[in-house]
Amino acid sequence: MSSATRDLPPTYQQSRTLDLASRPGLMILLNLLGLLLFFAFGLAFLLLAGAIYPGVKFGISSFSAVSGVLAFLLGYAGVLVLHELVHGLFFVIFTRSRPHFGLKQMYAYACAPDWYIPRNQFLVVGLAPFILITLGGFVLLPLASVNLATFMLFAMAVNASGAIGDLYTVVWILRFPANAFVCDHGEKFTIYW
């Protein structure tokens, strides 16, 4: 298995590019789909949590309207930061280099623009926040109070639905052979093979 590199093998050439920034219609569609997925994941996680942990209770008992809105905003921002930090962690694992982080109008991102990352390693980078935050949330649920458990399910649904861009990119990258390399510039992904 090849590893991340700053220099492509001499026979590799640029093949395709996915530039999300140049496709605002796609970005709007992904965000709308993400909103629908928020409700789908929220319901699915609630049902799954109830099946796995029948004794865990969910509900909002002590939030005022102001504290509820504040919890929503802090939860959303916290999940956004955690999600990108998980991407960044896997960039560090594969490149041994500090990733770049950014925030655009409709999304946040972590990237490693100076690196060519093997396709399968890049798939791990892309899927890691979705998988790890979801699994971590389910592991911690039985330790949480009623309010915290509800907040955690909300955060897990935000993370999962917010991963729609990652999932779209992963599906796009899966079309290419395992020996391909990906260069990630945040909103633009270039495939080399």
Side-chain angles (χ1 to χ4, degrees):
M1 177 184 199
S2 56
S3 59
T5 181
R6 289 184 186 266
D7 301 307
L8 279 175
T11 59
Y12 276 62
Q13 296 180 6
Q14 181 175 332
S15 173
R16 297 273 196 296
T17 298
L18 172 63
D19 187 352
L20 297 173
S22 70
R23 300 178 65 187
L26 175 60
M27 292 301 295
I28 291 169
L29 179 64
L30 289 175
N31 278 287
L32 290 174
L33 184 55
L35 182 61
L36 293 175
L37 286 175
F38 168 75
F39 295 105
F41 279 120
L43 179 59
F45 290 165
L46 181 62
L47 293 173
L48 185 58
I52 295 172
Y53 305 115
V56 174
K57 303 288 184 216
F58 303 100
I60 300 173
S61 61
S62 62
F63 282 120
S64 68
V66 172
S67 63
V69 169
L70 185 60
F72 170 82
L73 294 175
L74 289 174
Y76 181 81
V79 167
L80 185 68
V81 169
L82 179 60
H83 182 102
E84 296 311 323
L85 286 174
V86 172
H87 281 309
L89 171 65
F90 280 88
F91 278 127
V92 169
I93 289 169
F94 293 131
T95 67
R96 304 283 188 244
S97 179
R98 184 178 181 275
H100 297 260
F101 295 94
L103 186 62
K104 296 285 185 172
Q105 292 174 346
M106 292 200 273
Y107 58 94
Y109 64 90
C111 64
D114 301 327
W115 289 88
Y116 302 98
I117 300 171
R119 184 201 75 168
N120 290 344
Q121 288 182 359
F122 194 83
L123 295 175
V124 171
V125 171
L127 293 173
F130 176 79
I131 294 168
L132 293 179
I133 294 171
T134 301
L135 289 177
F138 274 108
V139 167
L140 295 174
L141 268 178
L143 307 175
S145 67
V146 171
N147 283 342
L148 184 57
T150 304
F151 180 76
M152 288 171 61
L153 283 177
F154 163 77
M156 291 161 55
V158 166
N159 176 66
S161 64
I164 186 66
D166 297 333
L167 298 174
Y168 180 86
T169 303
V170 161
V171 168
W172 183 79
I173 289 170
L174 277 170
R175 303 178 325 165
F176 301 98
N179 65 341
F181 284 87
V182 181
C183 186
D184 178 356
H185 291 272
E187 70 279 345
K188 183 166 78 170
F189 308 88
T190 306
I191 302 290
Y192 297 84
W193 90 66

